[in-house]
C-alpha cells in the first residue's frame, strides 16, 4: 500500500516546525528518518495530511561537548553514532548499541530523536539513555522543556511530548573513565527489535541498571544497582544474588512481566553484568 495524499514541508528552524505543527487545518506529523513513520503511513496506520521534515534543521543535526555533558541533536542518525561521528560520552556503550539497531539501511536514516519520540518499548535508545542518566530536551509553543530520560516514557508509544512539541536533543553526562558497562539484547535475528534487554553501568555508588523491552518504560533495578555497587569481580555465586535482586525490584514495581519475559530479562541482566567484567557469554541455568 501507499500513503494517502500528503503535502511535504522542510522547515529551517525548530520555531518554524512548531508553527507548522500548530496550523489547525491539517493533520501534520514530524518526519525524521522515516524508518518507523513511513511504513506506518504506507499501511495507513498513522493518518497525516502534511509531513514536516525536520532533518533540514541544522540545530537538530549538530552535537557538542558542553562541560561534563555531550549534547546530541535529535536528528543525529544511528549511523553517525555507530561510526563515532559525534562525541561519545559513554566509553563506547552508545557505539555498541547503535551497531546492533536493525541493519545498515535503517541506521543510515533512523535518528536517535525519532527513536525516543516513537517510544517503542523495544527500542534501544530508551533504555540506553535511561541507563546513562541522560536528559531529554524538547521545544513547543510554551518554550523549552526537559526531563530525565527514565521519566520520559509514560507508557508504550507514549511520552511526555505534547502534540506540538519537537524533541530537540539529548544531554548525556560523561561516564567516568573507570566506569564499566555491559548490555545484552535478546532477539531471534541480529538487528531485530529486542524481546528482552538489560543495560548496566558499574560506577561504584553511581551504578545503574535497567531492563528494556518491557512493554512500557524501561524498568530501573535499584536492588540490582546496590549489588553492582559492591561487586569487585565476577563469581558464579553472583548469578543468584543478581536474580534475587531483580526479583525484589520486580516485586516492588507496579509493572507485571510475564514469566517468560522475567526469565529472558534475568538472562540479559546477568549477561550484561558479566560483560561489564569482560566475561564471555555463558549458559545461564534456571534457578
Ligand atoms: C526493519 C527495522 C528494524 C528496526 N530495528 C530496531 C531495533 O532493533 N532497535 C531500535 O531501537 N529501533 C529499531 N528500528 C527503528 C529505527 O531505530 C527507527 O529509526 C526509529 O524508531 C525511528 O526513527 P526515525 O528517525 O526513523 O523516526 P520517524 O520514523 O521519522 O518518526 C517516528 C515517530 O517519531 C516522531 N518524531 C520523529 N522525530 C521527532 C522529533 N524530533 N520530535 C518529535 N517527534 C518526532 C514522528 O512524527 C513519528 O511519529 C527498526 C526499524 C526498522 C524499519
Amino acid at each position: 500500500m501507499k500513503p494517502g495524499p500528503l503535502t511535504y514541508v522542510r522547515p529551517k528552524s525548530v520555531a518554524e516546525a512548531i508553527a507548522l505543527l500548530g496550523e489547525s487545518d491539517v493533520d501534520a506529523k514530524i518526519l525524521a528518518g522515516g524508518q518507523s513513520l513511513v511504513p506506518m503511513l504506507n499501511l495507513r496506520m498513522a493518518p497525516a495530511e502534511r509531513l514536516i521534515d525536520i532533518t533540514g534543521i541544522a540545530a537538530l543535526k549538530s552535537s557538542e561537548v558542553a562541560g561534563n555533558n555531550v549534547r546530541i541533536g535529535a536528528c543525529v542518525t544511528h549511523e553517525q553514532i555507530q561510526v563515532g561521528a559525534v562525541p561519545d560520552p559513554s566509553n563506547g556503550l552508545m557505539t555498541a548499541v547503535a551497531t546492533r539497531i536493525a541493519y545498515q539501511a535503517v541506521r543510515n536514516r533512523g535518528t536517535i530523536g525519532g527513536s525516543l519520540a516513537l517510544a517503542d518499548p523495544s527500542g534501544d535508545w530508551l533504555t540506553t539513555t535511561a541507563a546513562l542518566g541522560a536528559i531529554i530536551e524538547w521545544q513547543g509553543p510554551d518554550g523549552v522543556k526537559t526531563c530525565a530520560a527514565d521519566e520520559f516514557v509514560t507508557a508504550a508509544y507514549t511520552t511526555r511530548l505534547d502534540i506540538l512539541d519537537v524533541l530537540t536533543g539529548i544531554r548525556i553526562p560523561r561516564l567516568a573513565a573507570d566506569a564499566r558497562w555491559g548490555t545484552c539484547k535478546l532477539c531471534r535475528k541480529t538487528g531485530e527489535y529486542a524481546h528482552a534487554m538489560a543495560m548496566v553501568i558499574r560506577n561504584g555508588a553511581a551504578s545503574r541498571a535497567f531492563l528494556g523491552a518491557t512493554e512500557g518504560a524501561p524498568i530501573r533495578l535499584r536492588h540490582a544497582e546496590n549489588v553492582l555497587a559492591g561487586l569487585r569481580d565476577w563469581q558464579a555465586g553472583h548469578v543468584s544474588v543478581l536474580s534475587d535482586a531483580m526479583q525484589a525490584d520486580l516485586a516492588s514495581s507496579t509493572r507485571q512481566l510475564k514469566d517468560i519475559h522475567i526469565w529472558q530479562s534475568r538472562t540479559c541482566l546477568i549477561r550484561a553484568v558479566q560483560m561489564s567484567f569482560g566475561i564471555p557469554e555463558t549458559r545461564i541455568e534456571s534457578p
Side-chain angles (χ1 to χ4, degrees):
M1 281 179 71
K2 292 290 165 217
L6 289 164
T7 57
Y8 170 89
V9 277
R10 196 168 157 85
K12 286 275 172 271
S13 70
V14 174
E16 194 188 337
I18 295 167
L20 286 163
L21 277 170
E23 288 177 3
S24 56
D25 54 332
V26 280
D27 191 350
K29 285 242 168 342
I30 292 176
L31 174 73
Q35 297 305 295
S36 299
L37 181 59
V38 171
M40 288 192 283
L41 291 173
N42 285 343
L43 292 168
R44 312 244 173 154
M45 288 166 65
E49 295 165 79
R50 171 189 278 170
L51 292 185
I52 302 171
D53 181 350
I54 57 170
T55 58
I57 301 175
L60 300 184
K61 295 195 290 186
S62 63
S63 302
E64 75 245 346
V65 176
N68 197 38
N69 293 292
V70 170
R71 187 185 177 283
I72 296 184
C75 287
V76 165
T77 62
H78 311 319
E79 153 75 5
Q80 286 174 293
I81 297 170
Q82 177 185 348
V83 301
V86 294
D88 173 28
S90 68
N91 299 350
L93 170 60
M94 293 183 72
T95 314
V97 167
T99 308
R100 73 186 189 190
I101 293 177
Y103 45 84
Q104 192 59 48
V106 173
R107 296 195 289 269
N108 285 345
R109 299 197 69 89
T111 65
I112 186 168
S115 176
L116 292 167
L118 181 68
D120 184 317
S122 299
D124 286 77
W125 293 123
L126 289 182
T127 311
T128 309
T129 53
L132 288 168
I135 301 290
I136 311 287
E137 300 176 353
W138 66 93
Q139 201 174 322
D142 301 335
V144 175
K145 295 192 181 150
T146 61
C147 79
D150 59 354
E151 293 170 1
F152 180 65
V153 176
T154 52
Y157 300 100
T158 314
T159 69
R160 293 177 61 172
L161 292 180
D162 218 335
I163 196 153
L164 303 184
D165 290 339
V166 178
L167 197 156
T168 47
I170 304 101
R171 221 180 322 134
I172 305 166
R174 267 189 193 287
L175 270 188
D178 59 351
R180 294 288 174 267
W181 55 262
T183 175
C184 176
K185 170 177 174 178
L186 279 192
C187 46
R188 274 177 309 177
K189 284 194 298 184
T190 305
E192 270 187 351
Y193 272 114
H195 298 304
M197 189 191 301
M199 216 159 279
V200 302
I201 290 171
R202 282 195 302 108
N203 189 17
S207 294
R208 290 169 75 88
F210 282 82
L211 295 182
T214 63
E215 299 180 0
I219 298 177
R220 186 164 185 183
L221 303 175
R222 290 185 186 271
H223 290 85
E225 288 176 357
N226 289 338
V227 173
L228 288 180
L231 291 189
R232 297 288 167 266
D233 57 10
W234 176 257
Q235 292 167 21
H238 293 151
V239 169
S240 60
V241 176
L242 283 164
S243 300
D244 291 349
M246 194 191 99
Q247 287 293 357
D249 281 308
L250 294 179
S252 59
S253 163
T254 52
R255 307 276 300 284
Q256 299 258 313
L257 301 186
K258 296 186 190 94
D259 285 349
I260 178 69
H261 204 160
I262 294 174
W263 168 243
Q264 292 173 330
S265 298
R266 171 184 172 274
T267 301
C268 285
L269 174 66
I270 292 162
R271 285 198 172 147
V273 177
Q274 287 179 324
M275 183 184 191
S276 76
F277 282 103
I279 309 280
E281 274 188 11
T282 49
R283 185 178 164 78
I284 297 163
E285 301 299 338
S286 68

